[in-house]
Amino acid sequence: MKLGFLVDLNLCMGCKGCEIACKVENEVPLSSWRLRVKYVDVGTFPDTKRTYTPLRCNHCADAPCERICPVSALHYLDNGIVNVDKERCIGCAGCVMACPYGAIYIDPETNTADKCTYCAHRVSGGLMPSCVVACPVEANIFGDLEDTESNISRYIMQHQGNVQVRKPEKGTHPHHFYVGGGEIQLNPLASLRQEGHNLFNNITHLKHVGGHH
Amino acid sequence: MAHETIEAMNAVVTLDVALPGIVWPWLVTMNMWAKSIGTGVLFLGYFMFRYYGNENSVKEMKLPIAILSFTFLSMFLLFTLADLHQPFRMWHIFFYPHWTSPITVGAVIASVLMGLVSMLVVAAYLKRDDIFEKAWMPTLILAIPVTLYTATLMGMSTARELWQVPVELVQMMLAALLSGAATMLLFGHKFSFEVNRMLAIVLGASAAAGFTIYMGEYVFGPFKAEEVAATLAYIKGDGEYTAMFWIGQVIAFVIPMVLTYLGVTNKNRILLLPAAISALVGLWIVKHVWLMIPQLLPMS
Ligand code: SF4
Ligand code: SF4
């Protein structure tokens, strides 16, 4: 079994239901995220469009974060999930640097690495990840990539030619796919980040407990 | 490609939660800087003992070199530990080692190196040349991977494309030679001009080579990958680190190059001291800028 995600960006309407569900389910602290929905506006008024892209860990088949972790705190589960053992982690932040998708953060409360685990605790009990449950338009599709009859495999087959991953050139082989995405949604360097123009300017940052940052 | 997309589409991020800031702070700069000196003095010690071993002043350097190496390697390990968010779990590296990680390999070889350098200190202090000689070559050989491993760690930071393994390996070795020669030149008044000359040439040549590589990256780096172009933008124009980058280049490389050239050609030892101090201070700045700028890049 190799679990994977697919987000149909044609369906996503940027409601952030998945983001909130993830925060609640995993008690993600303030100023950190496991899953976030990024808005990018395209065009010049009045000819403009807003795009929405849910971003989470890709559970790469060849994960740089797993490779760099000196104590195997990041490790593969049999179902392909890249999991974190917070008790093992020494907080070197090597994984934060190694992940080409910026998917890992150092939890300011535990001072250890954390990230999306595809809700491994729910999956092991036969439940869907909480973001999948929360999505009102079923834009998040989750399932076994090795099972040709699973929803995700069928979706990939139906949308052949229009299925993308982020940064394929990095050779990480993500188990997380997008349908209907383009350069704007998937490449962080293809959009400008203008200081002071973010809708949330005042983001609260937690101080690391006993940390040095 | 991305640049053209921005121009053509006028794409602007309008809602996004904060990206994580700098995760490897100045503590990692201190780590790299201290490690360069700790291993660099061993490399320069090798040249001094090998080619000028008959001079009494050089013979007497066994203890100072061992102590310098011990002190700076201890600093390096201390800053490595201080940078961990869970420093009291450091022992996990030895009990749950993951050998694909340069952090694991580095921790193990650096610990063995510390053991050997401690042995050198004791042997030099007790004037036991037999033990010193036996431990010297293994120490020197192990100092090479300890110098280099940080480059592989940076190289494994996928998408921070500024850090490429072969180039960073060369830069790490040059930094060790530069800082080792500079540290030895602080003792220049003890040595003959010939020894000073050798140290000055190593300092000047590694400064020239280091400067050339940085300039090469600065000019040609953007052609390699869009991440490199975006990263180098932080040290170009009114970029966040432009001033610091150039200050570092001048202090670490240009001033030492000029002063060592003038010092060697005019046989003027006095000029070599400011060259050495300049190189040591500048190296910290150069390393710091190079560590910071890839961390400013948005990854997602
Ligand atoms: S997306 Fe990042 S954190 Fe997730 S598996 Fe890949 S490298 Fe690791
Ligand atoms: S921060 Fe923790 S999980 Fe990440 S590489 Fe270091 S030890 Fe591993």
Side-chain angles (χ1 to χ4, degrees):
Chain A
M1 179 188 274
K2 285 287 169 276
L3 295 171
F5 243 104
L6 184 145
V7 181
D8 190 336
L9 296 174
N10 298 316
L11 297 177
C12 177
M13 55 182 189
C15 73
K16 288 180 172 276
C18 54
E19 192 175 310
I20 305 297
C22 173
K23 275 262 184 192
V24 173
E25 174 71 29
N26 297 295
E27 297 180 352
V28 181
L30 273 178
S31 76
S32 309
W33 53 269
R34 288 183 176 205
L35 160 62
R36 75 188 208 270
V37 183
K38 182 169 82 166
Y39 291 13
V40 180
D41 289 7
V42 185
T44 311
F45 183 81
D47 190 14
T48 55
K49 195 178 107 182
R50 178 161 288 170
T51 68
Y52 313 104
T53 319
L55 299 162
R56 55 166 84 72
C57 164
N58 294 309
H59 296 265
C60 309
D62 200 354
C65 62
E66 187 272 344
R67 222 168 25 236
I68 209 168
C69 179
V71 294
S72 301
L74 285 155
H75 57 277
Y76 284 104
L77 300 181
D78 288 341
N79 55 16
I81 288 177
V82 179
N83 203 23
V84 197
D85 180 347
K86 296 184 89 167
E87 297 303 311
R88 179 77 69 88
C89 172
I90 62 171
C92 66
C95 54
V96 183
M97 297 299 287
C99 172
Y101 309 99
I104 309 188
Y105 60 95
I106 299 290
D107 184 327
E109 283 164 0
T110 60
N111 272 324
T112 55
D114 214 345
K115 66 172 194 68
C116 160
T117 59
Y118 279 175
C119 279
H121 57 291
R122 289 175 61 95
V123 171
S124 65
L127 297 171
M128 279 284 171
S130 74
C131 54
V132 177
V133 178
C135 181
V137 291
E138 296 188 18
N140 286 294
I141 296 148
F142 179 73
D144 183 4
L145 294 164
E146 287 180 346
D147 174 3
T148 50
E149 292 306 309
S150 67
N151 272 352
I152 188 166
S153 298
R154 287 213 304 263
Y155 216 93
I156 290 172
M157 285 300 286
Q158 280 162 14
H159 293 83
Q160 275 183 46
N162 192 21
V163 180
Q164 304 98 352
V165 294
R166 284 189 281 159
K167 303 185 184 178
E169 73 282 2
K170 303 297 173 209
T172 54
H173 304 112
H175 281 164
H176 188 293
F177 305 90
Y178 292 91
V179 164
E183 184 80 351
I184 296 295
Q185 287 98 330
L186 304 182
N187 181 352
L189 300 179
S191 46
L192 281 179
R193 288 172 185 273
Q194 289 171 343
E195 201 64 46
H197 284 82
N198 198 317
L199 293 181
F200 284 162
N201 286 328
N202 245 344
I203 291 165
T204 307
H205 290 270
L206 288 187
K207 289 249 178 301
H208 281 258
V209 181
H212 49 259
H213 299 297
Chain B
M1 173 68 178
H3 182 71
E4 283 79 12
T5 311
I6 292 178
E7 302 262 303
M9 313 271 292
N10 190 21
V12 180
V13 177
T14 45
L15 181 58
D16 195 9
V17 278
L19 295 161
I22 301 292
V23 282
W24 279 351
W26 62 273
L27 293 159
V28 178
T29 313
M30 282 303 291
N31 155 322
M32 291 192 286
W33 180 79
K35 179 160 67 88
S36 298
I37 300 174
T39 57
V41 291
L42 294 173
F43 299 141
L44 268 295
Y46 169 78
F47 290 129
M48 286 166 64
F49 296 143
R50 175 115 169 78
Y51 298 107
Y52 305 96
N54 295 330
E55 287 188 26
N56 278 340
S57 59
V58 171
K59 278 187 197 146
E60 285 165 10
M61 285 307 287
K62 281 183 180 164
L63 185 59
I65 285 176
I67 290 177
L68 275 170
S69 179
F70 180 84
T71 309
F72 281 96
L73 287 176
S74 303
M75 259 172 85
F76 146 64
L77 291 178
L78 199 74
F79 280 105
T80 307
L81 201 64
D83 184 53
L84 298 183
H85 288 79
Q86 289 284 355
F88 295 115
R89 293 187 188 171
M90 177 72 179
W91 59 272
H92 285 193
I93 292 189
F94 301 99
F95 283 80
Y96 310 108
H98 187 217
W99 295 106
T100 59
S101 170
I103 303 173
T104 308
V105 177
V108 171
I109 56 177
S111 305
V112 178
L113 182 67
M114 267 310 272
L116 286 168
V117 172
S118 310
M119 200 188 286
L120 289 182
V121 173
V122 175
Y125 180 73
L126 297 176
K127 298 205 176 352
R128 290 288 304 269
D129 279 355
D130 53 330
I131 301 178
F132 192 94
E133 298 304 329
K134 278 205 185 92
W136 178 243
M137 275 322 271
T139 309
L140 212 57
I141 291 167
L142 203 61
I144 297 171
V146 170
T147 304
L148 301 180
Y149 88 88
T150 316
T152 59
L153 177 59
M154 293 164 95
M156 276 174 85
S157 299
T158 327
R160 321 263 178 190
E161 299 296 337
L162 184 71
W163 302 331
Q164 298 279 342
V165 167
V167 180
E168 288 304 318
L169 286 174
V170 176
Q171 286 290 30
M172 291 287 165
M173 188 46 85
L174 288 173
L177 292 174
L178 177 116
S179 57
T183 310
M184 285 294 105
L185 276 172
L186 300 180
F187 297 84
H189 58 282
K190 289 176 162 230
F191 312 133
S192 67
F193 185 75
E194 283 310 300
V195 177
N196 274 285
R197 189 170 166 274
M198 183 274 284
L199 293 171
I201 289 173
V202 173
L203 173 56
S206 28
F211 183 66
T212 309
I213 294 176
Y214 279 114
M215 289 304 108
E217 289 285 342
Y218 187 86
V219 177
F220 300 109
F223 304 128
K224 272 195 302 202
E226 62 182 348
E227 282 98 344
V228 180
T231 306
L232 290 173
Y234 297 115
I235 52 170
K236 291 185 175 181
D238 58 356
E240 226 169 295
Y241 280 87
T242 302
M244 201 174 180
F245 173 76
W246 286 111
I247 289 170
Q249 295 295 314
V250 171
I251 300 181
F253 304 133
V254 179
I255 292 176
M257 273 192 285
V258 174
L259 290 181
T260 50
Y261 175 75
L262 292 176
V264 169
T265 48
N266 297 320
K267 295 203 169 185
N268 184 345
R269 205 158 55 193
I270 305 298
L271 288 175
L272 302 181
L273 191 64
I277 295 168
S278 183
L280 287 171
V281 174
L283 183 67
W284 194 96
I285 302 172
V286 165
K287 288 268 171 208
H288 189 65
V289 172
W290 218 243
L291 178 74
M292 290 299 121
I293 52 174
Q295 297 188 62
L296 301 176
L297 210 59
M299 289 281 117
S300 59

